[in-house]
Amino acid sequence: MPIDFRAALNDEQYDAVTAPAAPLLVLAGAGSGKTRTLTYRVAWLISRGVPPGEILLLTFTNKAANEMLHRVEELTGIGPRRFWGGTFHSLGNRALRLYGDQIGLARGFTILDADESETLLKRCVEDCDKTFFKNKTYPRPGPLFSILSLARNTQQSIATTVRKNFPQHSEIEHRLDDFAASYEKAKREQAVVDYDDLLELWLRLLSESQTVADYFAQRFRYLLVDEYQDTNTLQAQIVDKLAPHHCITAVGDDAQCIYSWRGADFENIMRFPDRHPDTAIHRIETNYRSTPDILAYANAVLQAQPLGRHFDKELRSARAPYQKPHLVETVDDREQAEFVLKRIRALIEDEGVSASEIAILYRSHFLALEMQLALARTGLPYQITSGVKFFERQHIRDLVALLRFIYNPTDTLAWQRIATLLPKVGEKGAQKIHAAARDHAVLLQSDFVAALATDDVLSKVPKDAREEWPHFCASLAEVAAELRDGRAPALAVEHAIEGWYGDYLRGAFADYAERLDELKALATFATRFDTVDDFLSQIVLLNGETADARSATDAEKPAAAIRLTTIHQAKGLEYDVVFLIGLADGQFPSRRAIDAGDIEEERRLFYVAVTRAKNELYLSYPKVASRPGPGGMMNTPSRFLLEVPDTLYERLRIKRRFDWRR
């Protein structure tokens, strides 16, 4: 039976789906039926007599490609295997298997996984400089690979990439080109490729072999690209090389480009009409997700964008009005958490909203600490979809172990966790060092931490760790002095961050800045306690509560749980009720974005967060920002809140703790 495209689509979707074969840029707003439009576009081409083998569908996940092609099968009866459809990387692999020999790539090449790529890079670096990884402030193989990968995907120099994204390593940026060259040479000699090669070499193949480029251009007369705003420089150039005929349907939304930190280039979608002459732009602005009240707020967020730096669009709701978004000013993070939980209880218990339809969104992990603590105490089921719980994150556990050991030097498990972060120190080595320090302290009746710095103990330390051993011991001694003097544990946490572990953090993680923020949040949490034993005990109890909740969740598999997630992880999802927390300037937009004068992606991120809500949206910020040490600091509302006219939201004023009213 022929497909009734007119009946199946709204006017905007129908116009985009049935547009003539030419370069098309389909600006599909949040909740407007982007996937439906792309699916029906494929079906329309087939209904016009285009053979499936002439259609190429490029997506960012295999799941998305499979879902679309199976929907096409339901519409047309044509199976997915008759199309070339999948992720950029999977199709790059397919192209290189067929024609890689044209650029000297062995036909039997193998693909390295992430761990193997980092191992090979480590060997290449050590061949160039055996001492490089002995400096704990230098990037480890994983973070180093992240630097090189981002440079490759953005096609920027390594030096530029470091200065822009990894400034903690700016002093060594001039050394990384040699490492990259050695790594590339090793891959070619071993006939292996890594994940990024699947794009780089595919582009090289299309650029250097005119025969191959002509073959793809003639075979694939129609290209369809999903989530075009998320393409990086390599991917956009691949699309252009594949389609010299310019018959491309690029579907995306410039207002949802939020992944520059992993290589997405906002300019790709903005310059699409320049690169493809006579581009027809279709806007799909009817939103089936959110109420008109929420969309009025979202439109106001977009209206604050600089002129000429975005495509004009205005979302229109297909739903009836309900209620305006609510803005809540709280005293601090704790009152913010209390408000959210109070409202969530009312939603679940009094209004029948499923817990799984409630989401708490935040810009960065550290902003959710109070929320996690509050939820753990209440017993409400919750799920963190953007990573592990705060106190289970690796760097948090490291620093807590450091404090545990200093507080109780006989805690061998805490010692082992910290000591094994040193080069070439394994579990047995850590045990030997601990035993030597214990014996020395007993013999001389001295302090255990002080005993670590003696020559007797140093003789048990592996050679590779001896260079940083004095700094390690001195840092432990500084933290121990804070605890010995009976000062608040927050100062001990601060000293630990500023000392040896802070240097270790810089080299160990590509997302160093974000993890440093989380450690500072731990220091803020520590300000609640007068003694380190209370602080450490509370962490254990909180971990126990969350572990119990997790065990129950795993065993009973409840149907509903509140979602806690970063906004980045929430893209593409939707919830009946959204709480967007931590909306203070310096938190959202982040201080780094403000200092760099680069807040437009932050504004787009705010827009993405707002448009996750279907029925109710609560925007909150703490008036007082707690900081380690005495006192706090006053927050100002996020500039994104101040840009929206006050007629588009209602203020909720908290009259007293655990109570809220209009």
Side-chain angles (χ1 to χ4, degrees):
M1 180 182 297
I3 303 169
D4 189 344
F5 290 92
R6 180 69 273 181
L9 304 166
N10 67 30
D11 291 344
E12 298 162 339
Q13 294 169 341
Y14 181 80
D15 289 344
V17 163
T18 61
L24 303 178
L25 179 58
V26 181
L27 299 172
S32 64
K34 169 184 67 68
T35 302
R36 183 177 187 83
T37 301
L38 199 55
T39 301
Y40 272 83
R41 176 66 175 171
V42 176
W44 171 263
L45 292 173
I46 292 171
S47 73
R48 301 287 96 182
V50 176
E54 294 184 0
I55 298 173
L56 176 61
L57 176 62
L58 289 162
T59 65
F60 279 84
T61 67
N62 280 314
K63 179 182 178 183
N66 291 335
E67 287 178 355
M68 277 189 247
L69 292 177
H70 277 99
R71 288 192 194 182
V72 170
E73 183 177 20
E74 291 173 358
L75 289 171
T76 66
I78 296 174
R81 293 192 176 188
R82 295 183 62 186
F83 298 90
W84 266 49
T87 66
F88 281 87
H89 291 88
S90 66
L91 295 177
N93 174 54
R94 193 169 174 180
L96 291 171
R97 294 289 175 193
L98 292 172
Y99 303 109
D101 59 334
Q102 299 281 321
I103 53 172
L105 184 63
R107 283 191 175 272
F109 70 85
T110 52
I111 304 173
L112 302 175
D113 63 24
D115 288 341
E116 291 167 338
S117 299
E118 291 172 15
T119 298
L120 181 58
L121 176 61
K122 180 176 183 291
R123 291 175 186 168
C124 293
V125 172
E126 290 175 339
D127 286 344
C128 297
D129 179 359
K130 292 186 181 300
T131 66
F132 183 82
F133 291 120
K134 292 182 180 180
N135 187 320
K136 63 183 175 300
T137 65
Y138 291 175
R140 303 296 194 275
L144 179 57
F145 187 85
S146 295
I147 294 171
L148 303 186
S149 176
L150 186 59
R152 295 166 69 187
N153 280 282
T154 58
Q155 294 194 304
Q156 293 183 326
S157 70
I158 294 173
T160 299
T161 301
V162 170
R163 286 195 292 271
K164 183 177 180 181
N165 302 95
F166 307 92
Q168 68 269 27
H169 299 308
S170 57
E171 75 279 7
I172 59 166
E173 64 183 38
H174 62 284
R175 305 184 59 188
L176 304 188
D177 283 307
D178 288 342
F179 298 158
S182 177
Y183 175 62
E184 292 302 315
K185 182 171 180 284
K187 285 187 296 180
R188 299 293 85 82
E189 288 174 347
Q190 298 179 30
V192 297
V193 301
D194 62 23
Y195 198 58
D196 295 326
D197 282 320
L198 298 177
L199 297 185
E200 276 195 312
L201 295 179
W202 189 13
L203 178 59
R204 182 181 160 197
L205 175 64
L206 292 169
S207 301
E208 295 183 6
S209 174
Q210 191 60 47
T211 301
V212 174
D214 290 343
Y215 167 77
F216 278 108
Q218 293 166 11
R219 172 164 182 179
F220 299 115
R221 295 168 50 214
Y222 302 89
L223 265 68
L224 294 90
V225 188
D226 189 21
E227 301 285 10
Y228 188 81
Q229 79 281 345
D230 292 337
T231 55
N232 62 34
T233 305
L234 281 173
Q235 290 161 333
Q237 291 186 4
I238 287 169
V239 170
D240 292 351
K241 287 288 186 181
L242 287 169
H245 47 65
H246 301 292
C247 196
I248 305 168
T249 300
V251 182
D253 183 1
D254 59 298
Q256 297 188 70
C257 182
I258 60 173
Y259 293 125
S260 66
W261 51 276
R262 69 183 192 196
D265 188 350
F266 179 71
E267 296 301 329
N268 289 342
I269 192 167
M270 295 305 299
R271 294 179 178 172
F272 184 90
D274 299 330
R275 297 199 317 277
H276 302 283
D278 302 319
T279 291
I281 299 177
H282 290 264
R283 291 171 172 81
I284 305 178
E285 299 170 312
T286 302
N287 176 288
Y288 294 92
R289 174 189 299 157
S290 304
T291 64
D293 319 84
I294 292 171
L295 293 186
Y297 193 99
N299 288 330
V301 173
L302 294 187
Q303 287 165 8
Q305 295 178 103
L307 294 175
R309 295 300 300 140
H310 62 95
F311 290 105
D312 292 332
K313 69 178 74 66
E314 182 176 353
L315 295 178
R316 297 180 299 274
S317 180
R319 300 179 53 194
Y322 182 55
Q323 66 181 31
K324 293 180 181 180
H326 295 90
L327 178 62
V328 186
E329 178 190 276
T330 64
V331 172
D332 54 20
D333 291 336
R334 276 189 268 187
E335 188 175 69
Q336 179 177 244
E338 290 165 0
F339 159 73
V340 172
L341 289 187
K342 176 69 174 177
R343 182 66 189 123
I344 285 177
R345 282 194 180 280
L347 287 165
I348 294 173
E349 297 172 5
D350 301 334
E351 301 175 34
V353 178
S354 170
S356 62
E357 286 296 333
I358 300 172
I360 302 169
L361 308 184
Y362 37 87
R363 172 64 180 87
S364 303
H365 286 289
F366 75 91
L367 296 174
L369 172 57
E370 288 296 342
M371 236 19 277
Q372 292 186 39
L373 297 175
L375 282 165
R377 294 190 191 100
T378 63
L380 285 170
Y382 71 98
Q383 180 181 19
I384 299 177
T385 58
S386 56
V388 297
K389 294 177 173 63
F390 184 85
F391 288 110
E392 294 175 354
R393 286 173 65 75
Q394 180 178 338
H395 52 296
I396 301 296
R397 294 182 67 189
D398 286 345
L399 198 122
V400 169
L402 188 150
L403 295 176
R404 279 174 48 198
F405 163 69
I406 292 173
Y407 178 69
N408 174 18
T410 61
D411 186 341
T412 56
L413 291 177
W415 162 256
Q416 183 172 291
R417 183 176 185 95
I418 294 301
T420 53
L421 298 178
L422 293 160
K424 302 296 184 181
V425 177
E427 292 183 11
K428 290 184 178 179
Q431 291 170 7
K432 289 179 181 179
I433 296 169
H434 189 276
R438 180 191 62 216
D439 293 345
H440 192 87
V442 170
L443 180 64
L444 300 181
Q445 295 186 330
S446 68
D447 176 79
F448 192 106
V449 174
L452 289 170
T454 63
D455 290 341
D456 287 348
V457 176
L458 180 62
S459 67
K460 304 296 182 184
V461 176
K463 184 174 66 173
D464 288 348
R466 289 182 184 177
E467 183 176 341
E468 65 181 272
W469 184 255
H471 182 34
F472 175 77
C473 293
S475 180
L476 295 184
E478 287 180 6
V479 178
E482 289 292 337
L483 300 184
R484 187 168 51 248
D485 292 343
R487 297 180 184 175
L491 293 175
V493 175
E494 283 190 271
H495 275 283
I497 296 171
E498 294 166 359
W500 171 85
Y501 187 75
D503 289 342
Y504 167 82
L505 189 80
R506 186 179 298 119
F509 301 103
D511 56 347
Y512 160 75
E514 289 75 14
R515 291 179 188 258
L516 182 61
D517 284 340
E518 292 176 22
L519 290 177
K520 291 177 180 177
L522 180 67
T524 298
F525 175 65
T527 60
R528 303 182 187 183
F529 305 94
D530 296 325
T531 64
V532 71
D533 56 327
D534 285 344
F535 172 60
L536 294 175
S537 297
Q538 187 62 29
I539 289 175
V540 173
L541 293 172
L542 286 168
N543 273 339
E545 290 170 0
T546 56
D548 289 344
R550 186 173 61 252
S551 297
T553 298
D554 292 342
E556 299 166 14
K557 297 190 183 301
I562 301 158
R563 311 294 167 150
L564 271 73
T565 177
T566 62
I567 302 164
H568 283 103
Q569 292 287 334
K571 185 173 178 288
L573 304 178
E574 58 184 38
Y575 302 92
D576 285 348
V577 183
V578 165
F579 294 87
L580 181 52
I581 64 173
L583 292 174
D585 236 40
Q587 295 181 345
F588 196 179
S590 71
R591 176 54 54 192
R592 283 186 294 277
I594 294 171
D595 291 344
D598 183 19
I599 64 168
E600 288 313 305
E601 182 162 325
E602 298 277 298
R603 182 181 281 110
R604 296 193 294 270
L605 191 62
F606 183 60
Y607 168 80
V608 167
V610 167
T611 54
R612 299 311 95 198
K614 294 194 286 186
N615 301 329
E616 297 182 35
L617 174 64
Y618 296 87
L619 309 144
S620 66
Y621 69 94
K623 192 172 181 180
V624 177
S626 299
R627 293 290 185 269
M633 196 173 118
M634 297 301 292
N635 279 331
T636 58
S638 169
R639 63 195 65 195
F640 302 145
L641 295 175
L642 300 178
E643 289 169 347
V644 176
D646 58 11
T647 56
L648 298 180
Y649 59 86
E650 293 186 4
R651 286 185 178 272
L652 292 181
R653 304 191 184 279
I654 298 177
K655 299 297 184 182
R656 59 183 183 275
R657 244 180 176 176
F658 293 97
D659 192 16
W660 65 281
R661 289 182 172 80
R662 295 189 179 187

